[in-house]
């Protein structure tokens, strides 16, 4: 059985993963209307992944006999200045999520809740992977550059990463 603090914090994470999914889906719409089909495809894949992260938490909470709560999800931003600004924001958001996962893990360890600590380990690995992917994308954008046909090549490179997933 989970502590009330743990259920509350896991429910907050359910909301955050739902927000992440909406954030990336909304970002994909920005990319789509800018003609950046590769970026849009990549971001749609990210949105699906975040939905899976939310559902995994949702299932864990009800399996322990507690009530998972979806809650209200705030609206994500709709406008970006450039591809680099958009992916910088993804990177910042992922770092924020990593902090939240680490705080959840610290709580589980403090409470000697080994089941939740074991469950959260998957998220720790996933965050490492996601931060690494975003860093790779930002490096690629910087190396190619956004002037002239650069954006076209950036879009192609990011689109290929969507296929890799
Ligand atoms: Fe579910 Fe991208 O963190």
């Amino acid at each position: 059985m989970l502590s009330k603090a743990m259920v509350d914090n896991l429910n907050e994470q359910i909301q955050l993963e739902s927000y992440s999914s909406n954030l990336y889906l909304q970002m994909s719409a920005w990319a789509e209307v800018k003609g950046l089909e590769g970026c849009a495809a990549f971001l749609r894949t990210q949105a699906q992944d975040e939905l899976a992260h939310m559902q995994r938490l949702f299932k864990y909470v009800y399996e322990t006999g507690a009530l998972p709560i979806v809650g209200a999800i705030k609206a994500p931003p709709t406008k970006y200045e450039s591809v680099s600004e958009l992916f910088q924001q993804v990177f910042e958001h992922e770092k924020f999520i990593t902090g939240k996962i680490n705080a959840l893990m610290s709580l589980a360890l403090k409470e000697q809740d080994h089941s939740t600590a074991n469950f959260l380990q998957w998220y720790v690995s996933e965050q490492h992977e996601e931060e690494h992917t975003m860093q790779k994308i930002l490096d690629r954008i910087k190396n190619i550059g956004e002037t002239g046909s650069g954006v076209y090549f950036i879009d192609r490179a990011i689109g290929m990463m969507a296929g890799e997933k």
Side-chain angles (χ1 to χ4, degrees):
M1 196 176 146
L2 303 178
S3 71
K4 184 180 174 326
M6 185 53 82
V7 174
D8 289 348
N9 281 276
L10 288 169
N11 274 329
E12 189 203 354
Q13 195 63 34
I14 285 176
Q15 263 183 307
L16 287 171
E17 300 291 345
S18 296
Y19 175 73
S20 304
S21 181
N22 286 352
L23 174 66
Y24 299 154
L25 189 64
Q26 189 65 61
M27 283 175 162
S28 81
W30 179 87
E32 200 66 64
V33 300
K34 295 274 174 196
L36 303 167
E37 288 175 17
C39 291
F42 177 82
L43 289 161
R44 277 196 302 273
T45 311
Q46 290 298 115
Q48 286 296 328
D49 287 355
E50 298 300 345
L51 205 57
H53 298 174
M54 184 279 274
Q55 285 162 343
R56 203 179 177 107
L57 277 155
F58 194 86
K59 181 170 180 276
Y60 179 74
V61 172
Y62 74 65
E63 277 178 353
T64 66
L67 183 74
I69 298 172
V70 174
I73 317 294
K74 68 173 179 169
T78 55
K79 291 194 183 83
Y80 299 92
E81 288 299 317
S82 59
V83 182
S84 56
E85 193 226 331
L86 183 146
F87 279 101
Q88 189 62 47
Q89 290 208 18
V90 174
F91 188 43
E92 296 305 324
H93 183 68
E94 287 303 331
K95 285 194 283 188
F96 165 73
I97 296 293
T98 300
K100 289 288 183 180
I101 296 293
N102 287 342
L104 269 170
M105 182 61 103
S106 297
L107 178 65
L109 295 175
K110 192 180 113 202
E111 292 189 351
Q112 300 192 334
D113 179 348
H114 297 288
S115 166
T116 303
N118 182 54
F119 167 76
L120 288 170
Q121 197 57 55
W122 182 88
Y123 287 84
V124 172
S125 308
E126 185 70 9
Q127 284 312 119
H128 167 78
E129 192 58 42
E130 295 210 329
E131 281 194 29
H132 173 62
T133 302
M134 292 315 149
Q135 187 62 68
K136 218 162 63 178
I137 286 179
L138 286 172
D139 288 347
R140 212 160 280 183
I141 292 173
K142 202 168 148 207
N143 290 339
I144 299 173
E146 289 177 90
T147 52
S149 53
V151 176
Y152 168 79
F153 289 107
I154 288 168
D155 187 54
R156 231 172 57 165
I158 295 175
M160 271 155 67
M161 290 173 78
E164 284 168 13
K165 294 195 80 160

